[in-house]
């Protein structure tokens, strides 16, 4: 067996264990509530040690949340920051920046729907998840500030205005992504998540154009 093949198998096993832990947490939380689920309970269900659990997640809450929306690679960020206006709108370019990570989520519809069901039944758990979205929004804000300064360097003279502008775009982007997620989770699954989110961005862009 080649070293590359062995590394591939090892990574696939890691991904399977990571997913199994998340599924176990979600099923146990749905049955008992987060406060009545322990790391030991989850470990027994997945047939791993608590030590192995902590190799994947720092807490049961982190396992419950799973992968929150992430920011793409440094190369993708740099391309977005320096993309310029051109013929493509900033909204469309922002969607392009986020699209690759959305494809990662659409590959596991079952896990996402299970998490959504649990959050719908418990507003406290939904609040935990939304706290991670705030981290995502702050990352987007920093990226957007860089983009705005490249496009319009004069904005640097009004730091508060610059930050408010970036925050507005980040909040709208997050809400639009969530809209696409909900459409995807409540659909029959024939259309991928990234396409649902793209449609939500397109609709939002058309609404802003009509209101001009």
């Amino acid at each position: 067996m080649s070293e590359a093949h062995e590394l591939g198998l090892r990574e696939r096993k890691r991904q399977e264990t990571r997913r199994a832990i998340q599924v176990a947490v979600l099923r146990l939380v749905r049955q008992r509530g987060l406060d009545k689920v322990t790391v030991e309970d989850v470990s027994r269900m997945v047939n791993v040690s608590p030590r192995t659990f902590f190799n994947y997640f720092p807490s049961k809450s982190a396992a419950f949340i799973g992968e929150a929306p992430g920011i793409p690679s440094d190369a993708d960020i740099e391309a977005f920051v320096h993309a310029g206006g051109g013929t493509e709108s900033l909204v469309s370019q922002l969607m392009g920046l986020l699209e690759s990570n959305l494809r990662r989520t659409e590959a596991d519809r079952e896990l996402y729907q299970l998490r959504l069901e649990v959050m719908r039944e418990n507003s406290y758990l939904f609040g935990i998840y939304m706290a991670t979205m705030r981290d995502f929004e702050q990352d987007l804000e920093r990226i957007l500030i860089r983009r705005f300064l490249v496009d319009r360097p004069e904005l640097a003279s009004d730091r508060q205005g610059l930050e408010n502008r970036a925050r507005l775009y980040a909040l709208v982007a997050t809400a639009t992504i969530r809209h696409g997620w909900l459409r995807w989770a409540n659909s029959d699954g024939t259309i991928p998540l990234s396409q649902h989110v793209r449609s939500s961005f397109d609709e939002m862009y058309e609404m802003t154009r009509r209101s001009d």
Side-chain angles (χ1 to χ4, degrees):
M1 183 183 296
S2 69
E3 183 177 352
H5 184 62
E6 186 174 346
L7 287 173
L9 289 175
R10 192 178 306 161
E11 178 58 27
R12 186 169 66 183
K13 176 63 176 175
R14 281 186 55 81
Q15 292 299 324
E16 289 172 354
T17 302
R18 185 177 182 85
R19 183 186 189 278
I21 289 172
Q22 292 180 75
V23 170
V25 168
L26 288 164
R27 287 178 176 168
L28 288 171
V29 168
R30 184 167 60 179
Q31 294 170 7
R32 310 177 190 174
L34 185 64
D35 292 342
K36 295 181 180 178
V37 174
T38 67
V39 169
E40 288 73 19
D41 293 333
V42 177
S43 300
R44 279 195 297 272
M45 190 170 181
V46 182
N47 197 27
V48 299
S49 69
R51 181 177 179 178
T52 298
F53 176 99
F54 287 116
N55 285 338
Y56 288 88
F57 296 99
S59 67
K60 62 184 181 183
S61 294
F64 168 79
I65 292 167
E67 276 68 39
I71 297 297
S73 68
D74 290 342
D76 289 337
I77 292 171
E78 291 302 313
F80 170 76
V81 168
H82 299 285
T87 58
E88 191 176 20
S89 71
L90 175 61
V91 170
S92 181
Q93 290 176 353
L94 183 58
M95 177 60 219
L97 176 69
L98 303 172
E99 199 162 10
S100 60
N101 278 348
L102 293 173
R103 293 195 188 102
R104 189 182 61 197
T105 304
E106 69 195 14
D108 203 338
R109 177 186 174 85
E110 178 187 2
L111 181 59
Y112 176 76
Q113 285 192 310
L114 179 57
R115 182 173 287 112
L116 187 64
E117 288 171 13
V118 176
M119 288 192 296
R120 280 174 174 165
E121 295 167 2
N122 193 311
S123 58
Y124 168 71
L125 297 175
F126 183 74
I128 291 176
Y129 183 79
M130 290 309 294
T132 67
M133 295 294 286
R134 180 54 188 151
D135 293 337
F136 172 67
E137 288 164 8
Q138 289 174 335
D139 286 337
L140 272 185
E141 285 175 28
R142 287 188 284 269
I143 293 168
L144 284 161
I145 285 172
R146 292 184 57 204
R147 168 61 185 265
F148 294 150
L149 287 174
V150 168
D151 288 352
R152 295 177 56 190
E154 70 275 10
L155 293 175
S157 62
D158 179 10
R159 187 70 189 184
Q160 188 64 51
L162 175 63
E163 290 176 355
N164 284 336
R165 181 185 178 92
R167 187 170 301 118
L168 176 60
Y169 271 80
L171 287 169
V172 169
T174 302
T176 306
I177 290 171
R178 186 180 168 208
H179 180 264
W181 274 351
L182 291 171
R183 285 168 54 162
W184 172 68
N186 293 317
S187 70
D188 60 9
T190 56
I191 298 175
L193 169 64
S194 54
Q195 190 170 330
H196 275 295
V197 175
R198 170 66 75 174
S199 295
S200 293
F201 266 87
D202 289 343
E203 289 174 21
M204 185 271 292
Y205 178 60
E206 284 304 314
M207 287 171 60
T208 60
R209 288 187 60 191
R210 288 196 297 269
S211 66
D212 289 342

